[in-house]
Amino acid sequence: MLMITAVEKPRRVAAPVGRAGPACVALVLFVLHAAFALRNHARFRTTGYDLGIFGQAVRSWAEGRLPASEIRTATAPAGFEGEALPLLGDHFHPVLALLGPVYRLVPHVEVLLVAQAALVAATVYVTGRTAGRHLSHGEFAGPVVAAACGLAWGVQTLIGFDFHEVAFALPLLALACRAYLDGRSRAAAWWAAGLLLVKEDLGATAAVLGLLIVHRARDRRERRTGWFLACGSVLAALLVLKVVVPGFAPDGRYLYAERVGGAYGFLDGWPVKALTVLALLAVTGGLVVRSPLAWLLLPTLAWRFTSSVPSHWEPGLHYSAVLVPVAFAALVDAVRRGARPPVPWPRGDGRGPLLAALGAVLLLLPLQPTAQLAAPGFWREGPREAAARAAVGRVPDGARVAASNALAPHLTDRTAVRLATPALLDRAPAVEWLVLDRADGFPAGATDGVLRAVAGDPAWRVVRDGDGIVLLHREKGQPRA
C-alpha cells in the first residue's frame, strides 16, 4: 500500500450545512436496498448459509435464549451431536440481540434484511453529513459522498448476499470516523468500542483508532482516551478469542484461527487480492491513502489477505463492507487537507475527486447484485419460485424439517429447520419433512445424497415433486427400509 500521510493539519470545519441532501440519498437507497433484499428473498435467492443461520440466532434472542442454529450443524466440528450449534462459539456477535425485540414484534426473517438496509442507510447519512461538515462546498459534497458510499461495491455486495452482522459495524465506523475528524476523541472512542460487540476481528480496528487518537492527542486526557481504547480493545479481543468463543465452542477452540496468519495464505492469490486493493483505490480516486484514517483499513485487509480461504481475498461477498465508511471518511479528510489526486482534475476546489469517486462507483454498479433491480425478470415469478413457495407452505408450523440451502431461510420463523444432508438426515430428533431443491449445489451433492437415502424407504412419502422442488413427509408408524 502507498505511504499514508500522517501529519495533522489544523482542522477546518465548514459552516453547518443542511441535512436534506444526505437524508434524501439515504432514504432513496434504503428503499432500493430493502426492495432488492426482500424481492431477492421472495425469489428464493437467499440461503441458509447465512440468512437462515442469522434468522435462527435472532429468533433465539427473541425467545430469551442464547443464539443457536440448527442449520449451522451441517458444518459443525467433528463429534458434535447436538440439535443446534451455539453461535457464540462460532463468531462473537452479541449485537444481534438488538434485533431480538424487533423480531418478537414482527417474527419474520425479512426483519433482518430490512434492518440491514436501515443500517446501511444510517451509514450513508452519517458519511454524507461528514463530507458536508468538513468540506467548504458542503451542499455539493454531502449528497455526492453519500451516494458514492451507498453505491460502493462493498456495500452492494453486503446487500446482495443475505444478512451479516457486520452491517452493524458500518454506522459505528462512520460515526467513529466523523467524531475523529471533528476532534471529539472521546466520542470516537465510544463509537469504536461498540465494534467489540459486532465481530471478534473488529477489535483490531478499534485498537488502531485508539493509536490514531494517541498520535494526534493535544493533551493528557486525549492521550489517555486513545491508550484506553487501544489497550482495552486488544485485551477484549484476546478475551473473546481465547476464553469466550472457545467456552461456547463444542470442541473448545476458535474454529477460524487455523485459517488466518499462514504464509501460504499471504503469498498466494495476489492477482485476486490486487483487485480488492484496486477497487478500494478506484472508488476514492486514489486519495484513501492520503489520510491517517487509512490505517483503519489494514486490520481487515490483513486477516483477509493472510487467510487460506480464497473467498476472503476477492472484492465480492460482504467482507469489504466495513472498508467502505472508512474509505470515504479518509477521502473527505484527504480533500479537506488539500491532497492532490494522482491525475489533475478540471476543478481546483475539491469537487473533482468527489465526482471521480462517484463516477468510479457508478462504473462498477452494473456488475453489482443490486443492478438486477433494473431487470424485468427480477420482478417476475418463475415456475421454480412458485413450486418452492407451494412446497414450503405445506410444511406445518412447529415441524422438524431438513431443507435445501435456498429453501431453509423460508422455514426458520416457524419450524426447527436444519440443512438437508445425508449425515443429518437421521440425527435425533429425526426430521418429519424434507424440502429439497434439485438444483441446489450447497453442500455439494447433498440433495442427491438425501434423495438416494430415502428412495424406496416406506417411511417417506412424496407429497409433491415438480419444477425441481421435492417435498417428502415421514409417515408415522411406517417401518424403515
Side-chain angles (χ1 to χ4, degrees), residues 253-347:
R253 63 190 182 94
Y254 178 54
L255 172 64
Y256 303 97
E258 61 193 32
R259 302 183 184 179
V260 177
Y264 171 79
F266 179 75
L267 297 176
D268 199 29
W270 273 103
V272 177
K273 294 171 183 176
L275 291 177
T276 300
V277 176
L278 287 174
L280 191 61
L281 293 172
V283 298
T284 59
L287 291 178
V288 63
V289 297
R290 302 298 299 276
S291 165
L293 287 175
W295 290 105
L296 296 178
L297 304 172
L298 295 185
T300 296
L301 292 175
W303 78 255
R304 289 176 61 186
F305 288 177
T306 58
S307 172
S308 59
V309 181
S311 62
H312 291 162
W313 309 336
E314 61 190 49
L317 300 181
H318 60 285
Y319 301 111
S320 294
V322 296
L323 304 176
V324 172
V326 175
F328 281 97
L331 171 64
V332 170
D333 186 32
V335 172
R336 74 167 183 166
R337 291 164 176 269
R340 292 183 176 276
V343 295
W345 304 104
R347 299 180 66 98

Side-chain angles (χ1 to χ4, degrees), residues 178-260:
R178 175 178 173 176
Y180 176 83
L181 294 180
D182 289 347
R184 297 180 291 115
S185 296
R186 180 166 292 188
W190 277 114
W191 289 122
L195 297 172
L196 299 170
L197 303 177
V198 177
K199 200 174 179 185
E200 63 277 1
D201 62 282
L202 291 170
T205 302
V208 171
L209 182 60
L211 294 178
L212 291 178
I213 292 173
V214 171
H215 181 264
R216 190 194 61 181
R218 295 160 293 181
D219 53 42
R220 182 178 299 177
R221 181 180 178 183
E222 195 169 14
R223 189 175 296 107
R224 186 167 55 245
T225 297
W227 281 121
F228 184 81
L229 176 61
C231 297
S233 298
V234 171
L235 291 175
L238 289 174
L239 179 66
V240 167
L241 293 172
K242 298 296 185 180
V243 179
V244 178
V245 173
F248 283 101
D251 56 355
R253 63 190 182 94
Y254 178 54
L255 172 64
Y256 303 97
E258 61 193 32
R259 302 183 184 179
V260 177

Side-chain angles (χ1 to χ4, degrees), residues 371-412:
Q372 297 175 71
L373 282 166
F378 182 76
W379 302 98
R380 291 196 293 264
E381 183 169 279
R384 172 188 171 273
E385 288 79 16
R389 198 175 315 284
V392 167
R394 292 287 297 271
V395 178
D397 294 352
R400 297 191 179 278
V401 194
S404 294
N405 193 37
L407 306 178
H410 295 264
L411 292 160
T412 57

Side-chain angles (χ1 to χ4, degrees), residues 144 148 282-285 328 331 345 351-362:
V144 170
V283 298
T284 59
F328 281 97
L331 171 64
W345 304 104
R351 301 190 187 196
L354 303 185
L355 289 172
L358 180 60
V361 166
L362 294 176

